[in-house]
Amino acid sequence: MATTQPTQHAPVRRAIVTVTIVSFSVAALLGVLALLGGDFGDTQVRVLLTTVTVGVVSIGVLCYLSTAGTSFQLVGVLGGVSVLVPLGTALVLIWAEDRLRSNDEAVFQAFGVGAIVAGTLAQACLLLAIAHRKGPVVRVLLALTLVLAGLLAAILSALVLGGAPDEDYVARAVGVIAILDVLGTVVVAALAKFGPGPEGVEKVSVPEGLVAELDRRAAATGRSRDDLAATAIEQYLRHDAS
């Protein structure tokens, strides 16, 4: 059960979602105008690359927000901070004049490592959000998948920074770890969504009016309907016992 106070941070999350939607909407509009607006030159290419960059970052931000209201929301915060690195360096690479990019290699390395870290944290946030309250088998697979994702991110980051002592060995290792990482992600997501629920959890019928209120509160706080219902029942039982 999450121990955070999501209601306190709900306005911040709503503001982040609003900024994300507005930012990508503006970028998407500029991309459409670039495609439809006459000659297709260097500026139009840069606009399209910016649209793609903002779109990918927006998806990442939504992944980070999936941990809101859970005990893992710090992972989402770290993701939100880390994604600023690839966003900033990508915009520099797209728009800065050559004289402003005096050290392209450093910028590319910062972009590469930042993108790897941000992508790994986005993957972790999604898996934690959907699987952390499932049964022991799913939690073990989740832990193994996160370890593989972290190991893969570390190796790829080292490669970006120029550390490749044995190219053939490293390539094989990266391939094996990447395959296992993807397999673990698919299996965890499938079991979390369609597999049996955690042990000791039973379904309870709730009147439609209360379901609508739970949905409204869930949207306002960023917590799941089940989490809110369990918290409300626990609070009622403690109050009734006293």
Side-chain angles (χ1 to χ4, degrees), residues 123-146 148 180-196:
Q123 174 193 5
C125 286
L126 281 180
L127 292 179
L128 288 169
I130 65 175
H132 75 280
R133 296 184 62 193
K134 300 299 179 179
V137 174
V138 176
R139 291 200 299 270
V140 170
L141 290 174
L142 170 63
L144 292 175
T145 301
L146 293 179
L148 288 170
L180 294 177
D181 182 22
V182 173
L183 175 62
T185 300
V186 172
V187 172
V188 169
L191 290 179
K193 181 64 177 179
F194 304 108

Side-chain angles (χ1 to χ4, degrees), residues 41-173:
D42 186 59
T43 299
Q44 286 74 17
V45 172
R46 292 182 177 186
V47 170
L48 289 178
L49 290 175
T50 302
T51 300
V52 173
T53 299
V54 175
V56 173
V57 169
S58 298
I59 294 173
V61 170
L62 295 179
C63 293
Y64 306 139
L65 287 174
S66 66
T67 60
T70 73
S71 55
F72 303 101
Q73 63 183 7
L74 179 59
V75 181
V77 174
L78 293 176
V81 174
S82 68
V83 80
L84 296 176
V85 176
L87 173 61
T89 51
L91 293 178
V92 169
L93 292 170
I94 293 171
W95 289 100
E97 299 294 336
D98 290 339
R99 64 177 181 275
L100 297 179
R101 292 183 286 159
S102 56
N103 194 346
D104 277 355
E105 183 178 0
V107 177
F108 275 114
Q109 289 178 339
F111 170 76
V113 174
I116 291 168
V117 173
T120 302
L121 288 174
Q123 174 193 5
C125 286
L126 281 180
L127 292 179
L128 288 169
I130 65 175
H132 75 280
R133 296 184 62 193
K134 300 299 179 179
V137 174
V138 176
R139 291 200 299 270
V140 170
L141 290 174
L142 170 63
L144 292 175
T145 301
L146 293 179
V147 170
L148 288 170
L151 181 59
L152 180 61
I155 296 175
L156 291 177
S157 296
L159 291 176
V160 170
L161 296 175
D166 188 333
E167 294 183 2
D168 182 65
Y169 172 80
V170 172
R172 293 174 185 270

